[in-house]
C-alpha cells in the first residue's frame, strides 16, 4: 500500500522586510487600534525608516505625535486621513489648517461600519447620523420606508496592518484586551493584510474559541519587535 505523505501546512510567516516590500508611496493604508494602542509599532517604525510618503491613512484617529500612527502623520508622510478625530495629535491639526493634510471626518460608529462594510463586500451603509450637518456634504440621501438616511460608502485599503497577541502560521489571530480595538474589522478590509504579533505558534495550538480573526483574512504574519506605544492619558 502506497503511503500518502502528510500535507504540508501553508505558512504565512515572513519578515519585516517582506512586509515593507508591499508598502509603497501613495498607497491607501488602513490601521487598527485606538489612540496609538493596538497600532502595529514594528511596521510603523519600518515605514518611517523606508521613507514611504503621500499615504492615505484610514483608521480611528491620528494617534499622538510620537505614538502609533501619529509618527507618520507628524513627519508629513500622509496626504490624507480618514478618521473619527485628530484631537490627540495637534500636529495633524496644524497640517490640516496649513492645507498640507486633507482630513475626512467620519463619526466613530459610522467609520467602523464603513470599514466593516468594506470587509464583507458591501457597497456602503445607511445612517441618519449627520443629516443637515457638515457631515452630509457630498453624500447622497436615500429614503427607506419614508425615513431619510445618508449613504456612507464602504472603506477598503491597498494594505491593512493589524496588531495581535498571538497568531498561528496560517494567520489565525488572537487579540488581548483593548489592543483589539478595530483591528478585527481592519483585518478584513485590506486587499493585503499584514499582522504584527507578539507570538507565533503552529497550526492547531490556538484554542479555536479564542480566535477572532480567521486566517483567511490575513496574508502575512510578522514577529513584533516589541510594543513602544502607551496609553498617553494615563
Amino acid at each position: 500500500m502506497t503511503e500518502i505523505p502528510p500535507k504540508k501546512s501553508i505558512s504565512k510567516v515572513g519578515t519585516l522586510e517582506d512586509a515593507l516590500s508591499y508598502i509603497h508611496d501613495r498607497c491607501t493604508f488602513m490601521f487598527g487600534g485606538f489612540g496609538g494602542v493596538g497600532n502595529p509599532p514594528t511596521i510603523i517604525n519600518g515605514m518611517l525608516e523606508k521613507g514611504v510618503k503621500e499615504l492615505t491613512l484610514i483608521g480611528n484617529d491620528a494617534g499622538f505625535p510620537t505614538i502609533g500612527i501619529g509618527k507618520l502623520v507628524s513627519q508629513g508622510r500622509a496626504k490624507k486621513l480618514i478618521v473619527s478625530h485628530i484631537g490627540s495629535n495637534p500636529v495633524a491639526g496644524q497640517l490640516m489648517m496649513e492645507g498640507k493634510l486633507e482630513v475626512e471626518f467620519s463619526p466613530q460608529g459610522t467609520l467602523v461600519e464603513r470599514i466593516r462594510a468594506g470587509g464583507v463586500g458591501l457597497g456602503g451603509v445607511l445612517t441618519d447620523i449627520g443629516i443637515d450637518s457638515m457631515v452630509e456634504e457630498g453624500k447622497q440621501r436615500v429614503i427607506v420606508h419614508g425615513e431619510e438616511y445618508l449613504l456612507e460608502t464602504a472603506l477598503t485599503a491597498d494594505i491593512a496592518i493589524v496588531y495581535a497577541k498571538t497568531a498561528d502560521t496560517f494567520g489565525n489571530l488572537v487579540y488581548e484586551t483593548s489592543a483589539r480595538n478595530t483591528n478585527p474589522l481592519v483585518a478584513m478590509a485590506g486587499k493585503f493584510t499584514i499582522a504584527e504579533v507578539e507570538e507565533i505558534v503552529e497550526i492547531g495550538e490556538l484554542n479555536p474559541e479564542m480566535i477572532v480573526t480567521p486566517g483567511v483574512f490575513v496574508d502575512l504574519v510578522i514577529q513584533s519587535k516589541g510594543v513602544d506605544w502607551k496609553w498617553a492619558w494615563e
Side-chain angles (χ1 to χ4, degrees):
M1 183 177 178
T2 303
E3 185 175 334
I4 300 175
K7 292 183 179 179
K8 293 183 178 179
S9 61
I10 299 174
S11 176
K12 298 179 181 177
V13 178
T15 64
L16 174 60
E17 289 69 29
D18 294 328
L20 293 174
S21 71
Y22 292 96
I23 301 171
H24 305 289
D25 294 352
R26 293 175 292 282
C27 76
T28 302
F29 194 82
M30 191 178 290
F31 57 94
F34 183 101
V37 176
N39 293 170
T42 300
I43 299 174
I44 290 170
N45 290 334
M47 292 171 65
L48 287 167
E49 293 177 8
K50 183 175 179 178
V52 289
K53 58 186 182 300
E54 296 184 57
L55 302 170
T56 296
L57 300 177
I58 304 172
N60 182 72
D61 52 73
F64 291 82
T66 60
I67 299 174
I69 205 71
K71 295 180 180 179
L72 287 169
V73 176
S74 298
Q75 292 194 23
R77 304 298 181 86
K79 66 177 182 180
K80 180 177 180 178
L81 300 180
I82 302 177
V83 292
S84 67
H85 72 89
I86 60 173
S88 57
N89 191 340
V91 178
Q94 180 181 349
L95 291 172
M96 180 182 70
M97 296 301 293
E98 293 174 352
K100 297 177 181 178
L101 177 66
E102 180 183 353
V103 181
E104 177 184 332
F105 291 107
S106 191
Q108 192 171 72
T110 302
L111 177 67
V112 169
E113 278 297 287
R114 294 176 71 190
I115 293 171
R116 182 194 62 81
V120 298
L122 300 179
V125 294
L126 299 179
T127 176
D128 61 357
I129 303 301
I131 289 179
D132 294 325
S133 75
M134 63 179 294
V135 174
E136 185 178 1
E137 293 180 11
K139 295 173 184 175
Q140 180 182 348
R141 283 200 188 194
V142 177
I143 299 177
V144 180
H145 300 308
E147 299 291 335
E148 285 192 319
Y149 300 91
L150 296 181
L151 172 60
E152 294 279 2
T153 55
L155 292 171
T156 59
D158 300 320
I159 303 292
I161 59 170
V162 299
Y163 184 84
K165 175 69 174 178
T166 309
D168 64 19
T169 55
F170 183 66
N172 295 305
L173 303 181
V174 174
Y175 301 93
E176 183 178 44
T177 59
S178 62
R180 173 174 168 175
N181 201 307
T182 74
N183 274 298
L185 297 175
V186 167
M188 298 167 60
K191 295 176 183 176
F192 192 89
T193 295
I194 305 168
E196 176 182 335
V197 301
E198 294 181 35
E199 180 186 21
I200 302 172
V201 300
E202 294 298 321
I203 291 178
E205 292 187 33
L206 293 178
N207 178 351
E209 297 298 323
M210 298 293 291
I211 294 171
V212 177
T213 297
V216 69
F217 292 112
V218 177
D219 299 287
L220 182 65
V221 176
I222 73 164
Q223 178 71 53
S224 178
K225 294 182 180 179
V227 169
D228 63 358
W229 36 253
K230 62 181 178 178
W231 187 234
W233 283 308
E234 285 182 347

